[in-house]
Amino acid sequence: MSIVVDHLNKQFKVHVRQAGWLDAFRSIFKREYQIVEAVNNLSFTIQSGEIVGFLGPNGAGKTTAMKMLAGLLHPTSGAITVEGFIPQEQKAEYKKMMSLVMGQKSQLIWDIPPMETFLVNKAIYEIDDNSFNKTLDELVALLELEPLLNKPTRSLSLGQRMKCELAAALLHRPKVLFLDEPTIGLDVDTQEKVRRFIANYNREHKTTILLTSHYMGDVTALCKRVIIINHGKLLYDGDLDVLTEKLTPYKLLEVHLPTLPNQSWETYGEVDSIEEGKVTLRIPRERIREVSARLLQEFPVHDLNIQDPPMEEVITLAFQEKSHG
Amino acid sequence: MKRYWRIFREFFRTCLVEEMEYRSEFIGNLFSSVFGIGIALLTIQIFFYQTDQLGGWSYADVLVLLGIFNTLQGFIHFALRPNMARITQHIRKGTLDYILTKPVDSMFYVSFRHLVFWRLIDVFLGIGLIVYGLMEKNYVPTSGDVLVFIISLIASLLLIYSLWMMLMTTAFWVIRIEDLSFAFDSFFETTRFPISMYRGGLRVVLTYILPAAFITSAPAAALLGKWNMITTLTSLLVAGIFLWLSRKFWKFALRFYTSASS
């Protein structure tokens, strides 16, 4: 077992105040605090070499949980072990086998080329010349860093910088990798490249990866398993496919026709969208075969596609699930 | 120890590379340093038009003191100031996250990561001023004087570092204070003149509560042959205690780190 989280809690004391002059003045003398439960009784385990997507709406407690796993924050109660270490003890041995990448914060030194940051990390992680060169060569090849290494970081694009961030975080070959929004703000093409890199890296090195992302593409491409939390509580932990089936009892049936007959589609199923030459219907899972057969029989169908509803929709449903009850 | 020396060398190198990006600043800074020391000399000259003693210190003595002040200021601006000013930023913006995930002492990292080389000019100008002051007084320090001087200078640097570090560590609680460094600067400015020049309550505070008295006056007195071993060792001990305190305080404060959200 690589990561074990057991009944984890984290509370923050937050200073609350209303807007306005009077209250600003009042808060100088008397402050009101509110306890916020950022993470609430969270338990899960992750196997070595697994990639797990860690999902939840903004403010759900993902980043807080991840920071506790990385040893930055002390839990209010509960226990964490990662590869046998207790993160908040901040042991050097632990830090040498894990890495944290945050899409929103940079560890690269701004005014000078990324190579300089790599060299600083080499000294800090005590990487010997041989393994450093070997790892760097591999990362340079995989991430296509060659032309970037000697340009000042400030002149790199966001995508180029993110690739260098990943390289900087992986030089010491961590066994556990925490990725917090690694693709945020990147264009589709670069997102795709970063994803492919993460997938490859995980396959090659059996690195345990916990990933948060707002892009469902990241999650569907990388993670078989997801952990979903909201308001700091666990909502779902399991297979992504099972989640889809459980939450959305229908599939999307895309029917391509040369000309759309002017008729009501409601007899077949709920209409999702109608475009030029294409109708998309929502059909309950158990009726898919029957409806497809009927459509094929009754219309000169060009093409017929059966799809799962988009991940965004599934996740939105997942977030709503428990907040009712 | 060897490992930290290697990391420090790495910091040194990256900072050098960083500064080479902005070479043209060097000339401007040299000019401003020379100008700064000129103004300080002028101020002292004005004082000594009125009197021939400042808190029991003669003109040449005060020159030596000012030289030490400048040397220390050079060191401060070389290694301390660039780092201390950043601590609040690290905490406020959450970049401390990366430092805390590195297998390196976080206090060491935040203290020495940034170095500003051209500030070493002040160290050399300061040493020049010390030599000039000694020549003016016609005093050649004995090797004992120099040894005690070096010890007390080290004690001063440790003391300055610890006090500043403790001040900046409070940023874990009072995150919004933008520039705590200014508070330190005002304190350090008081050491530009002999401690005996201050009167009453202020002097008590500067001697016993914030030990400014040691910072410049002790090394200056040492170089002028007016030292005794007990005072010197006391200042080293006091510096050691403050260093230990600042370290304890930093470790304690880390537990309260909340890390800015992403």
Side-chain angles (χ1 to χ4, degrees):
Chain A
M1 207 63 74
S2 181
I3 300 176
V4 181
V5 173
D6 186 24
H7 295 95
L8 187 66
N9 284 290
K10 178 72 189 179
Q11 298 175 340
F12 286 115
K13 216 165 103 179
V14 185
H15 169 216
V16 283
R17 54 169 269 220
Q18 273 74 48
W21 282 100
L22 188 67
D23 207 79
F25 186 69
R26 198 184 296 139
S27 74
I28 297 172
F29 303 102
K30 190 168 170 272
R31 289 187 156 221
E32 279 169 40
Y33 290 98
Q34 195 180 22
I35 301 284
V36 175
E37 307 244 0
V39 171
N40 192 342
N41 205 17
L42 185 66
S43 302
F44 60 82
T45 58
I46 296 177
Q47 305 282 347
S48 295
E50 215 181 341
I51 304 191
V52 176
F54 198 30
L55 309 177
N58 287 333
K62 298 174 301 233
T63 304
T64 305
M66 208 174 239
K67 281 176 179 166
M68 282 193 278
L69 284 164
L72 297 174
L73 300 178
H74 288 242
T76 308
S77 68
I80 308 175
T81 51
V82 181
E83 297 281 339
F85 290 98
I86 297 169
Q88 75 262 28
E89 287 177 357
Q90 304 199 336
K91 289 215 175 93
E93 293 87 5
Y94 176 59
K95 294 177 183 173
K96 279 188 180 176
M97 50 138 284
M98 67 89 162
S99 212
L100 171 70
V101 178
M102 290 171 281
Q104 312 255 41
K105 291 174 194 166
S106 174
Q107 69 159 317
L108 299 170
I109 306 167
W110 188 245
D111 280 321
I112 56 179
M115 191 59 199
E116 303 295 338
T117 308
F118 298 166
L119 288 171
V120 172
N121 279 5
K122 175 178 182 288
I124 287 176
Y125 286 99
E126 298 178 276
I127 310 168
D128 63 71
D129 292 347
N130 259 337
S131 6
F132 178 78
N133 291 333
K134 225 179 112 207
T135 314
L136 187 65
D137 286 346
E138 187 198 323
L139 291 169
V140 166
L142 279 173
L143 288 164
E144 298 160 19
L145 298 182
E146 193 62 57
L148 314 179
L149 283 181
N150 296 310
K151 279 190 201 165
T153 303
R154 62 164 188 274
S155 68
L156 301 181
S157 74
L158 190 61
Q160 293 171 330
R161 216 185 310 147
M162 196 58 226
K163 293 202 279 183
C164 295
E165 293 283 349
L166 281 168
L170 294 171
L171 283 171
H172 61 287
R173 292 238 176 269
K175 278 194 201 150
V176 181
L177 185 58
F178 300 110
L179 298 173
D180 193 12
E181 306 274 359
T183 55
I184 197 156
L186 304 185
D187 63 59
V188 181
D189 186 44
T190 318
Q191 271 185 26
E192 181 55 42
K193 277 187 186 147
V194 169
R195 253 172 234 160
R196 212 174 313 140
F197 169 76
I198 295 170
N200 277 335
Y201 192 85
N202 165 262
R203 216 173 17 245
E204 297 263 306
H205 299 283
K206 301 283 169 275
T207 315
T208 311
I209 299 177
L210 186 63
L211 165 102
T212 74
S213 178
H214 275 108
Y215 299 108
M216 282 313 133
D218 288 352
V219 179
T220 44
L222 292 171
C223 317
K224 204 167 131 347
R225 175 181 162 203
V226 291
I227 292 172
I228 301 178
I229 65 171
N230 198 4
H231 304 298
K233 285 187 192 142
L234 186 76
L235 291 188
Y236 179 80
D237 178 359
D239 263 26
L240 194 57
D241 299 342
V242 177
L243 177 75
T244 314
E245 264 172 53
K246 204 174 115 193
L247 291 181
T248 54
Y250 57 86
K251 287 202 169 222
L252 293 179
L253 192 64
E254 227 177 68
V255 191
H256 293 261
L257 295 167
T259 46
L260 279 191
N262 200 2
Q263 70 164 98
S264 157
W265 295 93
E266 302 294 333
T267 53
Y268 301 95
E270 191 189 329
V271 179
D272 191 78
S273 68
I274 298 184
E275 287 164 54
E276 178 99 36
K278 190 177 102 180
V279 184
T280 311
L281 302 169
R282 270 165 202 254
I283 315 285
R285 282 171 194 275
E286 64 278 5
R287 285 192 56 217
I288 281 282
R289 275 158 64 102
E290 173 211 329
V291 175
S292 330
R294 253 179 80 194
L295 285 165
L296 285 169
Q297 217 167 43
E298 293 166 23
F299 299 98
V301 175
H302 261 184
D303 196 5
L304 195 108
N305 259 329
I306 303 170
Q307 289 176 330
D308 272 321
M311 213 52 222
E312 277 83 358
E313 211 179 305
V314 179
I315 297 296
T316 314
L317 279 172
F319 293 166
Q320 287 165 354
E321 263 270 281
K322 293 270 172 62
S323 36
H324 295 304
Chain B
M1 219 37 209
K2 225 176 113 189
R3 177 169 169 239
Y4 278 90
W5 174 240
R6 195 172 315 135
I7 297 173
F8 182 74
R9 261 186 4 217
E10 214 44 50
F11 289 165
F12 198 88
R13 199 183 51 76
T14 49
C15 292
L16 207 60
V17 179
E18 251 177 307
E19 264 182 47
M20 285 304 128
E21 288 279 313
Y22 301 102
R23 261 175 315 225
S24 54
E25 273 187 17
F26 184 82
I27 302 295
N29 291 321
L30 178 67
F31 184 73
S32 89
S33 282
V34 172
F35 187 74
I37 209 165
I39 291 289
L41 273 175
L42 213 64
T43 318
I44 291 182
Q45 296 261 335
I46 291 169
F47 279 140
F48 280 91
Y49 276 130
Q50 308 293 325
T51 168
D52 51 8
Q53 284 222 330
L54 206 57
W57 293 57
S58 73
Y59 176 62
D61 296 344
V62 175
L63 284 184
V64 172
L65 186 88
L66 192 66
I68 288 168
F69 175 82
N70 231 71
T71 308
L72 284 172
Q73 196 173 43
F75 278 123
I76 287 172
H77 285 160
F78 162 62
L80 287 181
R81 202 196 160 81
N83 291 294
M84 294 300 138
R86 278 184 173 86
I87 291 179
T88 29
Q89 259 187 41
H90 283 316
I91 294 169
R92 213 162 51 82
K93 295 191 178 159
T95 39
L96 193 61
D97 289 356
Y98 279 123
I99 298 169
L100 291 177
T101 57
K102 297 246 177 318
V104 58
D105 188 84
S106 52
M107 188 164 153
F108 168 80
Y109 191 108
V110 299
S111 304
F112 297 109
R113 170 61 192 83
H114 298 275
L115 305 166
V116 181
F117 295 97
W118 59 264
R119 281 298 195 166
L120 288 173
I121 299 167
D122 278 329
V123 174
F124 296 121
L125 286 175
I127 292 171
L129 197 57
I130 295 170
V131 173
Y132 173 63
L134 288 172
M135 274 160 52
E136 192 76 354
K137 200 179 163 75
N138 261 327
Y139 182 80
V140 180
T142 64
S143 48
D145 293 347
V146 175
L147 181 72
V148 174
F149 164 71
I150 291 170
I151 294 175
S152 39
L153 199 67
I154 290 171
S156 301
L157 279 171
L158 286 180
L159 197 62
I160 294 168
Y161 169 69
S162 319
L163 285 171
W164 207 348
M165 192 68 209
M166 283 194 271
L167 184 67
M168 298 316 285
T169 305
T170 58
F172 280 97
W173 293 275
V174 278
I175 291 174
R176 288 299 297 280
I177 293 184
E178 271 293 310
D179 205 343
L180 281 168
S181 309
F182 280 125
F184 184 82
D185 279 347
S186 328
F187 160 71
F188 185 63
E189 275 298 314
T190 62
T191 68
R192 189 186 275 275
F193 301 106
I195 186 68
S196 43
M197 205 189 83
Y198 297 99
R199 300 257 167 269
L202 187 59
R203 184 165 168 181
V204 173
V205 169
L206 289 177
T207 310
Y208 298 104
I209 299 170
L210 299 165
F214 289 112
I215 290 175
T216 49
S217 300
L223 210 52
L224 295 166
K226 293 177 280 187
W227 51 271
N228 66 69
M229 220 48 204
I230 295 167
T231 323
T232 313
L233 291 179
T234 310
S235 65
L236 199 59
L237 184 73
V238 170
I241 291 170
F242 271 87
L243 186 64
W244 179 79
L245 278 175
S246 69
R247 181 140 190 92
K248 283 274 157 204
F249 189 40
W250 173 258
K251 292 264 173 195
F252 173 74
L254 279 184
R255 306 192 46 215
F256 292 86
Y257 179 51
T258 50
S259 175
S261 186
S262 58

